[in-house]
Every structure is written in C-alpha cells, then in structure tokens.
Amino acid sequence: MTHPHPVTLDDVRAAAARIDGVAHRTPVLRSRTLNARVGAELFFKCENFQRAGAFKFRGAYNAVSRLSAGQLAKGVVAYSSGNHAQAVALAARELGTTAMVLMPEDVPASKRAAAAGYGAEIVTYDRYRADRAVLAASLADERGLALIPPYEHPHVIAGQGTAALELVEEVGHLDALLVPVGGGGLIAGSATAVTCLGRPVRVVGVEPQAGDDTRRSLESGERVGIPVPRTVADGLATQTPGELTFSINRRLVDEIAVASDEEIIEAMRLAFECLKIVVEPSGAVGLAALLAGRITPTPSRIGVLLSGGNIGARRFTDLLADDF
Amino acid sequence: MTHPHPVTLDDVRAAAARIDGVAHRTPVLRSRTLNARVGAELFFKCENFQRAGAFKFRGAYNAVSRLSAGQLAKGVVAYSSGNHAQAVALAARELGTTAMVLMPEDVPASKRAAAAGYGAEIVTYDRYRADRAVLAASLADERGLALIPPYEHPHVIAGQGTAALELVEEVGHLDALLVPVGGGGLIAGSATAVTCLGRPVRVVGVEPQAGDDTRRSLESGERVGIPVPRTVADGLATQTPGELTFSINRRLVDEIAVASDEEIIEAMRLAFECLKIVVEPSGAVGLAALLAGRITPTPSRIGVLLSGGNIGARRFTDLLADDF
C-alpha cells in the first residue's frame, strides 16, 4: 500500500451509508459522576450495544457488502477467536453468503458457539503447529473464498470509522477522542473520520501496558514487534501493528496512552456502577487511562469509544474478585 | 381516596411534560437471543439508565414540581433507604429546594452517600424503636416540610406512568406489559398510561415469590399483609399494597406473576450477557418471570420495564457467585 490516503472521510461516509439500518446506531451515554472524577465532559460511544457485541460488525459488514455477486456466491473466510469471528459470521448471514471461521482447537466453547450461532462453519487448527494466516490464505485459495482480515483492509478500516463519525455527528466538536488500539483498525478509521471534520481533534490511542506495540512503533517511527502480550485485554494483545493501519496511524494519531490490567478492571467496575453497562476489558482501556490520569493536559470534551461488551458474567466476577 | 379515577392518562401526560428535559427519555433495548429464548418480541424499557439509576426520579420530580413556591421555600422530606431517597434528593436539588431523608441507622454507607451526594440532609432513626412514617409525619409537621411518599400519592403515580407512556409511544402497540410490583406505584401509573391508549394491553405485575402481597391482595379482593419478605429484590419487599395504588391496580392489573430469587439472579445474568446492561434484582423480575415460563400464554409483543440498575459490582458478583 503506497497510496498516501488509502482510506478517506468519503470512504467512511460511504461505509456509513452501507451499514445504515443493518448495524445499530449505538447510543452515547454520559455520567455526571465520571465527569466529576475526570474533570472533563465525557461522551461514551457504546459499541458494546453493537450487533454481535462489538464495533467489529461495522467493518466486517462493510467489507463483505463490497464483494461481487460472484464472490458472495462462493463465500468468505476469516481467522479470529474473538469479536471479528462473530462479526464476519453475522455479516455473511445478513448478506446471504456463507462464512468459514478458523479458530484454534482450544478456543472457549462459548466463542465457538457464538460464531456458529450466526451460521458460520468453524474450522479448528492446532495453534502450536499451524500459522493461521497461511492456513486461511490457502483455504481462501482452494475454495475461492474471500478473506476478510480483522484490520488490514481499507473497507474494514472505513467501516470501523463509522462509530466515531456517528459520535461527532451526535455530540458536535470533541477536543479529544480516545480509541482502543489492537491491530489499529478502529483508530485508523476513527482518526480518518474525525481529523477531516471541522476543528482539529486530538486522537489518542490507548493500549494495554503489556501490549504497547503501536506506542513503541510510533516512537521508533517504524513497526516494531513485542513478545506475546499477557493482558486482560485479550482483544488488544497484538505483537505488531498492521502495515496498512500503521501507515495511517503514524500520520493521524497524536499519541498513545496505556492502562494497566488493574486500571482496566477498575474502569469496568465504574462503567458497571456509573453507566450501568457491561464493557469488556479491551473496551475499557480509554476510561482506564483517563481515570489513571494518563491523558494530560485533560481536554474539555472527550469522546471515549467503548469498543465492545463481550464478556461473560462469570469472567467478569472472576476479574473483579481478584481486585476486591 | 374515593374518587374512581384518582390518576388519569391526562395526569400521566401532564407529568411527561413536566419531566421533559429533566428526566432522561431512556432507551428501549432489544435482543434477538432473548426473543428466541422466550418466543416473543421483547422491548426492554431501560430505567436503569434513568437519572439516579431508577424510575423513581420520574415520580419524585413530578410530585416536588407540583408544590407551591411557598412550600418549595420550606423543603421536602422522604423516608427511604433505597432508590426513592436518591430520587427525592435529586428532584429537590433540581427544583431549588432542600430535602431531608430519613434512613435507618444501619443503612449501607453507599446508599447514605448517594442521597447525601445529591445534597439531601440525612436523618437516621433506630429501625427497631421508631416508626419511620410517624417520624416523617412529625418532622414534616414541625418544620413545615412536604412529605413525598414513595407511592401513595397521585402525583408520584402519574410520574411513574411516564416510562410506560414513552415505551408505547416509541414501539407502538404491545400485547402485554410486565412491571415490577413493590408498593404498586410504578404499575398503577403504567397501567393508567397503557390501558387508555388504543388497543387493550395485558398488564402483568411481577413480584418476588417471597413478597407476593399484591398477588394475594388481588386474589382476596382486599389488601392483605404478609410477614417481612426475605428476597434479593429489596426494592419490592413490601408487606402490603398501598391503599391508593391498590384501588387503581385492582381495576387495571390483569394478573400478577412471581419470580424466585434464583430466577431473578439468572435474569440479571442474562441482561448482563445479552443486553450488556446492569439491572438490579428488583428491576429484573419481569425478565425472570418470562424466562421461567410464568407468562402464559406468551403474548407476541411484550414490553418489559427494567426499573433500575442500582447495584454495586461487589454485590452483583456475590449474588452470581452463589449461583455459579
């Protein structure tokens, strides 16, 4: 990808039109208690209420919907043990095609069931013996399936940007936008959407402390790799930024903040008690960084992307029990 | 109260106009998973997102706003250790008056802090020695305060009816409406609102199994008393229906269903996992009764009032831990 602007605001707007009436226009919540705690006006964009429980459906649906009729007749393939799997499965069903999802053999039964529940065919692999990307590519090749990557695709990135676009359309100008960073697709799309709309917005990515590959990469000016991160925020545990996403984020992202696992769990607790909502660990990093005082100086009007809510009650109680 | 219609649809509409822009117009959530489980279309009216965390603010604000300027200069008083206390405290602050709230000495610190946080003066009493209603009446008398009762007042009931009114305005006709029943104010207002709008709606009250005073009262045709209920749904643990609320509910409520504590906790878990929201035990009885198959025959389009979300994360994890 050498094009200087592989994704534009117009691409995000086109994605918004495609997902209109299919994806939820998720609510924006506010809390006087949290505003007082942070000393700013916070606007929480609740992608935990998105279909399939996370923002991922936006990008997956946009990407699948751009395939040709011939390709839709053959089907799509994705590799993911997380929210992208469910998103692609649901998008495929909505668009009348079939999805194959590669998951490691030891994926939790609930995640497997969630993707299967949307009609996907689940193919498992031995995570110690096989490279999932290679496996997916060869399956795509053999069976003529279109590979829908979790973030390394302009249509996926444009779709992810629609959440931030909706947020700014609803609440007006923001001084800063906080976005969780894993592979970098959500923030690449979000930054594309908000930096081209009116007054400048400070775009802040947030990573788990143990998984700060994008922070390190931005600091060193090139993509760097880190060991497999151990963090409660499993959706953000990437080892290196995407090539395409990094080419966008190095231009448009102002800074990266981090949050520790303990801070993430405390943010989940406060989202529960003050907002009355369920946010998964990866979705809570923005609020966590704010509460930990990592966003300085504190902007006046801050948008916070709560990216997903896929966490079982059992897992939630276990996480908080360690914390009490 | 011998007037045949102490509260009318016009009263609910007038209350809706008074609370407009002050109370939240709370969202209506849906879940394909829960629809499939129950075999009906469910519309969840999320009063857990209401200001101060429960529907109670609607009635409290409506009642306080109807006081004379002279009365507002003197202040209001309420007795409650639960959501009504916070609601009256917040309503008083919003309307520029002062609130005194009577709470038992052993009230949890968090509940006391919540009401005090809205600016109320907290007065404690010994729950084994004093009758709080008598105490509140004498305080009201001595200091010239207006008593805002939790349900036995037409303005409180009319305010509570606005949630159901909003629900029907938003989603159109419902075949049934499920409403938690404690003192009976929420269902009295809700029934008043929906039974006068278009086609008939089956109004179903839901009580905790151990606190079924309204069910017994409707069966026997007069208000009966039961021993202090032991139930996880503390907001619904009344011993006898209100006189005013019962006079309305005996006319307008079609039936009362019950839910066990175990069923209530399971409903809270499903609200967490499928709706991604926090519902307190008292707020989850409607969903609990549905999941337990207590609403037969099952109507096609069902409104479910989720009345509040005031439960700490610690208490939630304790309740679910017992259940795992």
Side-chain angles (χ1 to χ4, degrees):
Chain A
M1 284 287 172
T2 53
H3 191 285
H5 296 290
V7 186
T8 65
L9 175 58
D10 281 346
D11 294 329
V12 179
R13 286 197 165 126
R18 282 181 174 268
I19 68 171
D20 185 35
V22 187
H24 292 318
R25 196 176 174 98
T26 54
V28 178
L29 292 183
R30 308 181 57 180
S31 158
R32 285 170 179 80
T33 307
L34 292 176
N35 287 353
R37 282 276 290 254
V38 171
E41 250 191 305
L42 308 178
F43 301 88
F44 296 98
K45 178 65 171 169
C46 293
E47 287 297 295
N48 54 330
F49 294 136
Q50 188 48 266
R51 291 186 70 181
F55 74 96
K56 290 283 189 184
F57 180 65
R58 295 174 181 271
Y61 186 87
N62 189 51
V64 178
S65 77
R66 299 280 298 256
L67 298 172
S68 67
Q71 185 57 61
L72 287 174
K74 291 181 186 155
V76 302
V77 60
Y79 50 89
S80 163
S81 55
N83 291 333
H84 181 60
Q86 296 178 47
V88 170
L90 177 58
R93 195 184 68 182
E94 287 285 332
L95 288 157
T97 183
T98 55
M100 176 179 289
V101 176
L102 265 77
M103 291 182 160
E105 280 167 1
D106 56 354
V107 70
S110 61
K111 294 194 169 182
R112 190 182 167 135
Y118 292 124
E121 180 188 348
I122 312 298
V123 177
T124 58
Y125 64 91
D126 180 341
R127 69 160 89 217
Y128 303 101
R129 291 173 167 234
D131 180 319
R132 64 181 193 169
V134 173
L135 211 60
S138 78
L139 268 169
D141 229 35
E142 275 169 34
R143 309 203 189 185
L145 306 175
L147 179 64
I148 308 293
Y151 45 86
E152 284 288 277
H153 195 294
H155 298 164
V156 172
I157 293 170
Q160 315 305 31
T162 57
L165 186 66
E166 285 176 10
L167 175 58
V168 173
E169 281 174 359
E170 181 166 338
V171 307
H173 176 72
L174 294 170
D175 298 305
L177 178 67
L178 270 56
V179 187
V181 177
L186 180 60
I187 194 167
S190 303
T192 300
V194 303
T195 53
C196 301
L197 282 170
R199 281 186 284 159
V201 179
R202 185 169 145 205
V203 178
V204 182
V206 188
E207 291 187 303
Q209 206 151 45
D212 63 344
D213 51 303
T214 293
R215 179 169 69 159
R216 288 168 193 253
S217 299
L218 288 174
E219 272 171 15
S220 74
E222 57 180 13
R223 295 163 62 223
V224 300
I226 59 171
V228 177
R230 286 176 174 270
T231 168
V232 69
D234 51 329
L236 309 181
T238 44
Q239 288 185 258
T240 188
E243 203 176 322
L244 173 60
T245 54
F246 186 68
S247 75
I248 297 171
N249 293 332
R250 66 187 307 174
R251 273 192 302 116
L252 301 181
V253 172
D254 292 287
E255 67 195 89
I256 301 280
V258 295
S260 70
D261 279 6
E262 206 178 307
E263 290 160 356
I264 291 169
I265 293 168
E266 173 65 4
M268 291 167 66
R269 189 182 70 77
L270 283 167
F272 183 105
E273 294 188 345
C274 300
L275 296 172
K276 319 294 183 191
I277 60 172
V278 178
V279 183
E280 64 184 78
S282 302
V285 290
L287 178 57
L290 270 174
L291 291 165
R294 300 270 163 67
I295 315 297
T296 51
T298 308
S300 299
R301 290 167 57 86
I302 309 177
V304 184
L305 271 180
L306 302 177
S307 55
N310 286 331
I311 180 167
R314 178 63 180 269
R315 171 81 175 138
F316 178 85
T317 64
D318 286 349
L319 286 179
L320 267 74
D322 294 341
D323 209 43
F324 284 135
Chain B
M1 283 287 170
T2 52
H3 190 287
H5 296 291
V7 186
T8 66
L9 175 58
D10 280 346
D11 295 329
V12 179
R13 288 196 164 127
R18 283 179 171 268
I19 68 172
D20 185 36
V22 187
H24 292 319
R25 197 177 173 97
T26 54
V28 178
L29 293 182
R30 309 181 56 178
S31 159
R32 287 171 176 77
T33 308
L34 292 177
N35 287 354
R37 281 276 289 254
V38 171
E41 246 191 308
L42 308 179
F43 301 88
F44 296 98
K45 177 65 171 169
C46 293
E47 288 297 295
N48 53 331
F49 293 137
Q50 189 49 265
R51 291 186 70 183
F55 75 96
K56 289 281 188 185
F57 180 66
R58 297 174 179 270
Y61 186 88
N62 188 51
V64 177
S65 77
R66 298 281 297 256
L67 298 174
S68 67
Q71 185 57 61
L72 287 174
K74 291 181 187 155
V76 302
V77 60
Y79 51 88
S80 163
S81 55
N83 291 333
H84 181 60
Q86 297 178 47
V88 170
L90 177 58
R93 194 184 70 182
E94 287 285 332
L95 289 157
T97 185
T98 55
M100 177 180 287
V101 176
L102 265 77
M103 291 182 160
E105 281 166 359
D106 57 352
V107 70
S110 61
K111 294 195 168 182
R112 189 183 168 136
Y118 292 124
E121 180 188 346
I122 312 297
V123 177
T124 58
Y125 64 91
D126 180 341
R127 72 160 88 219
Y128 303 102
R129 290 172 167 235
D131 179 319
R132 63 182 193 167
V134 173
L135 212 60
S138 77
L139 268 170
D141 228 35
E142 275 168 32
R143 311 202 187 186
L145 306 174
L147 180 65
I148 308 293
Y151 44 87
E152 283 289 275
H153 195 294
H155 298 163
V156 172
I157 293 169
Q160 316 304 32
T162 57
L165 186 64
E166 285 175 12
L167 174 59
V168 173
E169 280 174 1
E170 182 167 338
V171 307
H173 175 72
L174 295 170
D175 298 304
L177 178 67
L178 269 56
V179 187
V181 178
L186 179 60
I187 195 168
S190 303
T192 300
V194 303
T195 52
C196 301
L197 283 171
R199 279 187 285 159
V201 179
R202 183 169 148 206
V203 178
V204 182
V206 187
E207 292 187 302
Q209 205 152 46
D212 63 344
D213 51 304
T214 293
R215 179 170 69 160
R216 288 169 194 251
S217 298
L218 288 174
E219 272 172 15
S220 74
E222 57 181 11
R223 294 162 63 223
V224 299
I226 60 171
V228 177
R230 285 175 174 271
T231 167
V232 71
D234 51 331
L236 309 181
T238 44
Q239 287 185 260
T240 187
E243 204 177 320
L244 173 59
T245 52
F246 187 68
S247 76
I248 296 170
N249 293 332
R250 68 187 305 174
R251 271 193 301 118
L252 301 182
V253 172
D254 292 287
E255 66 195 269
I256 301 280
V258 295
S260 70
D261 279 6
E262 206 178 308
E263 290 160 357
I264 290 169
I265 293 168
E266 172 65 4
M268 291 168 66
R269 188 180 72 75
L270 284 167
F272 183 105
E273 294 189 345
C274 301
L275 296 171
K276 320 293 183 193
I277 61 171
V278 177
V279 183
E280 63 184 80
S282 302
V285 290
L287 177 56
L290 270 174
L291 292 165
R294 300 272 162 67
I295 315 297
T296 50
T298 307
S300 299
R301 290 167 58 86
I302 309 178
V304 183
L305 270 180
L306 303 178
S307 55
N310 288 330
I311 180 168
R314 179 63 180 270
R315 171 81 176 138
F316 179 84
T317 64
D318 286 350
L319 286 178
L320 267 74
D322 294 343
D323 209 42
F324 284 136

